[in-house]
């Protein structure tokens, strides 16, 4: 059961990533308002392939489509996290996707807003944009995201119910699967009862070490109170630029503190160059320069046109199932409706599987 589940989950992830790549290839650049529609168009599914109730009536069809677009949007957002580099590298790690932030270079080209931020005020527009990009990416890769329609607690559960009412596998969330709550970024230790999953940007965090090293290169020392004042000012300014969303929480001393999330409406999905990857100097600091190459195998997998192929799916065949269900799956496997069957010794008992290709 676990192996069949992994097979199906793997294929679901691959197909959605393939659709995201096709959407970006067709549109060049997408934002939060156009992403779900573009993925929906790239998947090009018949209503019968995703809807629990297929209907010729326009209002029902539109509800089914809305549910699928919501599902795809959640999957695309969750894929913005830092990903496995070997087992299932994401589109960025295959050079097929590049994430950017709206008006980043334009905002970094304005000197006045940055003048009170130590060391950042010394940088050229390009250098400043590079540092700020890495700060925003820290939020993104830890899934510290904000969107009023999709990522607020009670709205998440409402969306989940709507999706599961309208759609069928594989375009639903499993019974035990909840839509992940976004984390928050904080510069003070949060109270234990805050009920928030927080990621630190304190002095000794990965981001803190990166920023202090960048400051040191410009002969600026940031530690202790100096660093705290710096990071508070920087995050507040990025909120003014509409990159971050501030909210309030309680710190360890039960005093009010500000926590931040990256605004989804600031993110741009762009086509990758397929040859070189952007380095992450926050998480992977190196003493010498090096090139990162995309994963060539998965790059080709994500470029696959799955609509041109027969549907791939798996099921299990074990003694834990009733004999009627096992016989039904044997029949579907024989006909090719099930492509892979994960079996216990129940399949050693002289069952004829006609055109079986591989064991």
């Amino acid at each position: 059961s676990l192996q069949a589940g992994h097979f199906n989950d793997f294929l679901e992830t691959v197909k959605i990533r393939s659709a995201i790549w096709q959407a970006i290839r067709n549109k060049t650049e997408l934002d939060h308002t156009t992403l779900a529609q573009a993925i929906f168009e790239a998947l090009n599914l018949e209503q019968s392939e995703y809807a629990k109730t297929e209907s010729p009536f326009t209002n029902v069809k539109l509800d089914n489509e809305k549910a699928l677009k919501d599902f795809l949007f959640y999957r695309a957002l969750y894929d913005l996290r830092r990903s496995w580099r070997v087992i299932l590298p994401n589109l960025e790690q295959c050079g097929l996707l590049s994430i950017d932030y709206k008006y980043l270079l334009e905002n970094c080209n304005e000197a006045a807003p940055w003048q009170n931020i130590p060391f950042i005020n010394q940088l050229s527009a390009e250098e400043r944009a590079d540092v700020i990009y890495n700060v925003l990416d820290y939020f993104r890769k830890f899934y510290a995201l904000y969107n009023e329609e999709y990522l607020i607690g009670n709205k998440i559960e409402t969306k989940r119910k709507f999706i599961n009412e309208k759609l069928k596998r594989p375009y639903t969330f499993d019974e035990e699967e909840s839509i992940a709550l976004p984390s928050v970024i904080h510069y003070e230790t949060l109270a234990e009862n805050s009920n928030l999953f927080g990621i630190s940007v304190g002095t000794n965090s990965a981001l803190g070490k990166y920023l202090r090293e960048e400051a040191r290169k410009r002969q600026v020392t940031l530690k202790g109170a100096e660093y705290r004042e710096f990071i508070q000012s920087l995050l507040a300014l990025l909120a003014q630029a509409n990159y971050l969303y501030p909210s309030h929480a309680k710190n360890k001393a039960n005093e009010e503190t500000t926590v931040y999330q990256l605004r989804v409406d600031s993110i741009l999905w762009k086509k990758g160059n397929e040859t070189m990857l952007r380095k992450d100097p926050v998480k992977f600091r190196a003493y010498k320069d090096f090139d990162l190459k995309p994963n060539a195998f998965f790059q080709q997998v994500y470029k696959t046109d799955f609509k041109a192929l027969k549907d791939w799916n798996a099921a299990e065949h074990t003694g834990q199932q009733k004999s009627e269900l096992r016989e039904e799956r044997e029949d579907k496997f024989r006909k090719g409706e099930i492509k892979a069957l994960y079996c216990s010794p129940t399949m050693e008992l002289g069952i004829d599987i006609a055109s079986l290709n591989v064991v």
Side-chain angles (χ1 to χ4, degrees), residues 174-345:
D174 294 335
E175 286 184 14
E176 298 180 2
E177 180 186 9
S178 58
I179 299 173
L181 277 170
S183 56
V184 297
I185 300 292
H186 58 86
Y187 51 81
E188 291 185 295
T189 304
L190 298 181
E192 291 183 5
N193 62 352
S194 67
N195 295 323
L196 295 172
F197 178 67
I199 307 295
S200 174
V201 287
T203 312
N204 294 317
S205 66
L207 185 64
K209 291 175 181 177
Y210 163 75
L211 290 170
R212 288 191 294 119
E213 175 62 20
E214 290 299 311
R216 189 191 62 78
K217 292 176 185 176
R218 280 86 182 179
Q219 289 72 54
V220 175
T221 301
L222 293 175
K223 54 185 179 181
E226 294 166 330
Y227 174 80
R228 177 170 167 166
E229 185 178 341
F230 160 78
I231 198 67
Q232 283 181 282
S233 300
L234 178 60
L235 297 182
L237 186 61
L238 292 177
Q240 289 178 34
N242 273 345
Y243 292 121
L244 303 183
Y245 179 81
S247 56
H248 298 296
K250 295 290 185 180
N251 64 15
K252 195 174 182 179
N254 206 35
E255 297 169 341
E256 192 171 272
T257 186
T258 305
V259 295
Y260 292 90
Q261 294 171 308
L262 176 67
R263 298 178 67 105
V264 171
D265 59 11
S266 72
I267 301 172
L268 294 173
W269 285 257
K270 295 183 176 181
K271 189 173 181 291
N273 65 18
E274 301 188 19
T275 56
M276 296 298 293
L277 305 183
R278 184 183 177 97
K279 298 164 191 171
D280 184 352
V282 177
K283 292 298 287 184
F284 302 103
R285 298 166 68 205
Y287 68 92
K288 63 180 181 180
D289 199 22
F290 62 97
D291 291 330
L292 283 175
K293 299 292 179 66
N295 186 307
F297 172 79
F298 277 98
Q299 187 180 88
Q300 292 306 310
V301 169
Y302 293 139
K303 286 183 173 182
T304 302
D305 180 7
F306 286 96
K307 285 297 291 182
L309 303 174
K310 290 182 179 179
D311 189 32
W312 296 353
N313 63 324
E316 69 271 18
H317 187 287
T318 73
Q320 292 177 315
Q321 283 124 14
K322 293 181 179 179
S323 58
E324 294 84 1
L325 180 58
R326 291 203 303 271
E327 288 172 11
E328 179 187 331
R329 289 183 176 177
E330 290 163 21
D331 185 52
K332 288 184 176 180
F333 188 51
R334 239 179 246 113
K335 295 175 180 176
E337 293 174 19
I338 294 174
K339 297 297 188 295
L341 209 54
Y342 287 87
C343 306
S344 71

Side-chain angles (χ1 to χ4, degrees), residues 86-137:
V86 178
I87 300 170
L88 191 56
N90 64 20
L91 291 170
E92 284 180 271
Q93 293 158 335
C94 296
L96 297 174
L97 170 64
S98 175
I99 295 295
D100 202 355
Y101 300 97
K102 288 181 180 178
Y103 311 117
L104 183 57
L105 188 56
E106 293 91 332
N107 287 338
C108 289
N109 203 33
E110 294 187 39
W114 309 94
Q115 62 185 350
N116 294 322
I117 310 294
F119 105 79
I120 303 287
N121 54 15
Q122 301 178 21
L123 305 178
S124 68
E126 290 75 15
E127 290 173 325
R128 190 178 293 140
D130 191 53
V131 170
I132 299 305
Y133 181 97
N134 291 326
V135 172
L136 299 179
D137 247 23

